[in-house]
Amino acid sequence: DAKTTQPNSMESNEEEPVHLPCNHSTISGTDYIHWYRQLPSQGPEYVIHGLTSNVNNRMASLAIAEDRKSSTLILHRATLRDAAVYYCILLTGGYNKLIFGAGTRLAVHP
Amino acid sequence: NAGVMQNPRHLVRRRGQEARLRCSPMKGHSHVYWYRQLPEEGLKFMVYLQKENIIDESGMPKERFSAEFPKEGPSILRIQQVVRGDSAAYFCASSPRAKQGGNTEAFFGQGTRLTVV
């Protein structure tokens, strides 16, 4: 499975935008870039995914570099509820065998 | 449409007993996955099942652990003769049939927290 690299932790202030980076220099042409997050004491939660083009949904935006070797998850206005561990995962094949790394622990300050 | 339902939420077992964890996938989902999260560690894939079939069990410990997803009813993760090292949070996820490889999201339950005493 292709590997991703994320910072261990990041901090943000409430209502400010947050940019969470992910490097995946060995990504293959068929790998989708997925983001999940895990709030304290809860199960993981799907955030967003994409292949080549930037993606937007109600939770976040995903910006994918032109060479696909990196991507950025964008939370447009952080709230206290966004404090979680965010995982960037590459996924290919026909099913959701998610390989979780250490992720980025996001702290949001009031 | 109810989400992925796991029960029990908390389970306490003595060493040597059996633990049975249940997972009901989202309506219409035919793919079920089990993950384990040991204390202060990351999430690890255990097994992937479709109805009546184990597709990928590469993350399952070789002994004492088994999983099934019968034609009717929930998926079951069974741990026989539990030991203290089995204490962890066990998460189930489900997904619909993949539209295209890697192009489908997974939905997770709230987990079962197993404590072995």
Side-chain angles (χ1 to χ4, degrees):
Chain A
D1 296 303
K3 188 176 172 62
T4 63
T5 305
Q6 299 178 253
N8 289 335
S9 62
M10 292 185 65
E11 297 188 3
S12 174
N13 294 318
E14 204 175 5
E15 298 191 6
E16 289 185 355
V18 181
H19 290 232
L20 297 164
C22 181
N23 288 320
H24 28 78
S25 58
T26 59
I27 191 170
S28 74
T30 55
D31 285 333
Y32 280 79
I33 302 159
H34 283 246
W35 284 82
Y36 284 77
R37 71 180 185 181
Q38 187 175 23
L39 279 64
S41 301
Q42 294 195 26
E45 177 184 28
Y46 166 81
V47 178
I48 200 166
H49 77 282
L51 183 63
T52 56
S53 303
N54 294 344
V55 184
N56 300 296
N57 66 20
R58 63 174 181 81
M59 288 182 69
S61 295
L62 176 60
I64 301 172
E66 196 168 335
D67 64 3
R68 302 187 72 231
K69 292 183 185 300
S70 66
S71 61
T72 302
L73 179 70
I74 303 166
L75 307 179
H76 295 286
R77 289 184 67 204
T79 69
L80 296 177
R81 193 191 174 278
D82 291 322
V85 180
Y86 286 78
Y87 299 97
C88 170
I89 300 169
L90 300 184
L91 192 62
T92 191
Y95 57 98
N96 279 292
K97 182 178 180 178
L98 299 168
I99 306 301
F100 289 87
T104 296
R105 185 174 297 277
L106 175 67
V108 180
H109 303 293
Chain B
N1 187 7
V4 177
M5 304 300 292
Q6 290 190 249
N7 67 80
R9 291 292 306 277
H10 300 274
L11 182 62
V12 179
R13 284 287 177 265
R14 296 185 185 279
R15 281 178 295 170
Q17 290 185 320
E18 178 180 288
R20 291 171 70 87
L21 288 62
R22 296 175 188 76
C23 169
S24 295
M26 286 183 69
K27 187 176 180 181
H29 286 191
S30 56
H31 299 219
V32 166
Y33 312 79
W34 287 92
Y35 293 81
R36 177 167 69 172
Q37 188 167 33
L38 293 166
E40 306 305 321
E41 292 191 18
L43 289 141
K44 303 292 185 189
F45 168 82
M46 298 181 75
V47 63
Y48 160 53
L49 311 101
Q50 295 180 18
K51 287 282 187 182
E52 300 184 283
N53 286 302
I54 297 174
I55 308 301
D56 182 343
E57 56 181 348
S58 58
M60 287 279 271
K62 293 289 184 274
E63 297 178 348
R64 302 187 297 108
F65 284 71
S66 62
E68 63 176 9
F69 188 17
K71 188 176 180 181
E72 301 290 338
S75 175
I76 305 288
L77 180 66
R78 183 181 177 206
I79 311 172
Q80 295 178 293
Q81 299 176 323
V82 296
V83 301
R84 288 223 171 103
D86 297 332
S87 295
Y90 292 83
F91 294 98
C92 170
S94 74
S95 67
R97 183 185 178 94
K99 298 181 281 264
Q100 172 182 352
N103 192 21
T104 307
E105 57 265 40
F107 298 85
F108 283 80
Q110 291 303 301
T112 294
R113 280 151 182 82
L114 172 66
T115 302
V116 180
V117 298

